[in-house]
Amino acid sequence: FTPQKAQALSKIANLLPGSAGRRLGSTANTLAKALELVNGVPNETALPLAYWRNSSGPRELDRDPSRDGCGLIWYAPLVPMRAATASSYVDMIERTTKKHGIEPLITFTTISDKVFDSTVPLIFDRGNNAALAAATNCYTDLLLEGRERGFFPYRVGLGAMQTLSAMQEESKAFHARLRHSIDPDGLLSPGRYQ
C-alpha cells in the first residue's frame, strides 16, 4: 500500500452503504495516516497512545502529552528482517518490559526488504515516581541488552544521552580526533556534539 492507494480506498469506502462502509473507511483512513508517518509527514494518528496511562486524559480536544503529564519513552532500533533475529528481538522486548511492569508494545514497520523499523513505546504515568523510575530503568536495560544483541536505537531522547555517552568511549575519542583535525580552533558549534 502507498498513502495514495489508502486514500483512494478510503474514498471508495465512503461510497459503500452501512456499517461495513464506515468500518472500511475508518480502517483505510487510519492506514493512510500511518503511511504518512512512515513517509515523514507528521500527524496525530498515534497521539492517543501517549494518554493510555494518564488517568485524567486530554484536558481539551487538542492533545498535548507534555502539558497533560503523559509519560512516554520510545525505544526505536532497526531490526534485521530475519525470522530468528526478529524472534530474538521480540523475546528481549517482552522479557525486559515485563521485568519492569511495562506492556511490551512492539511495532514493526517494513522500510526495505532487509530491515524493520521497530518502535517500542514505554508508556507510564509521569506523575508517579515509581512508574517513571520503572520506565527509565526499562529503557536503560533495553539500551544495554539491545547494544549487545545488535538492536541499537537509531534515535534517543535527551534522558538517554548520559547512558549513551558512557557506552561510546571509542567513538567519542574518534570524534574528538576528527573534530580537532577539521576544526582545530573549536569554532564550529563550540560545546555541542562533544
Side-chain angles (χ1 to χ4, degrees):
F1 266 93
T2 65
Q4 296 78 16
K5 287 180 182 177
Q7 288 171 352
L9 180 60
S10 182
K11 288 178 184 176
I12 291 169
N14 286 335
L15 300 174
L16 297 174
S19 63
R22 286 190 300 275
R23 282 194 313 275
L24 179 60
S26 175
T27 301
N29 190 35
T30 299
L31 177 61
K33 293 288 188 188
L35 290 170
E36 285 177 357
L37 284 174
V38 172
N39 286 326
V41 178
N43 64 46
E44 295 187 3
T45 300
L47 204 51
L49 179 67
Y51 288 87
W52 187 29
R53 292 289 176 207
N54 185 313
S55 58
S56 61
R59 287 189 236 156
E60 302 162 16
L61 290 178
D62 68 314
R63 293 181 179 102
D64 183 340
S66 179
R67 175 199 65 209
D68 297 336
C70 298
L72 177 59
I73 301 172
W74 290 99
Y75 178 64
L78 299 176
V79 179
M81 194 182 290
R82 292 187 297 269
T85 305
S87 179
S88 171
Y89 172 76
V90 169
D91 290 343
M92 179 192 83
I93 297 298
E94 287 180 342
R95 184 176 22 77
T96 305
T97 55
K98 288 178 181 177
K99 171 182 156 187
H100 295 281
I102 295 173
E103 291 79 3
L105 306 174
I106 305 169
T107 299
F108 284 114
T109 303
T110 306
I111 58 174
S112 79
D113 61 345
K114 297 186 178 3
V115 70
F116 291 114
D117 173 349
S118 180
T119 54
V120 179
L122 308 177
I123 304 167
F124 59 97
D125 178 357
R126 203 171 69 201
N128 179 329
N129 289 335
L132 171 60
T136 302
N137 292 335
C138 181
Y139 186 78
T140 299
D141 285 355
L142 289 170
L143 278 179
L144 295 171
E145 187 170 353
R147 179 180 186 224
E148 295 299 317
R149 293 171 170 251
F151 307 127
F152 209 64
Y154 57 87
R155 67 177 175 211
V156 297
L158 292 174
M161 293 300 178
Q162 283 186 326
T163 302
L164 187 64
S165 180
M167 299 168 117
Q168 299 182 346
E169 291 303 321
E170 296 88 6
S171 178
K172 285 191 320 193
F174 171 74
H175 287 130
R177 287 194 315 273
L178 181 62
R179 184 179 181 100
H180 181 71
S181 67
I182 294 172
D183 182 25
D185 297 322
L187 300 175
L188 301 174
S189 300
R192 302 220 30 205
Y193 311 111
Q194 297 180 27

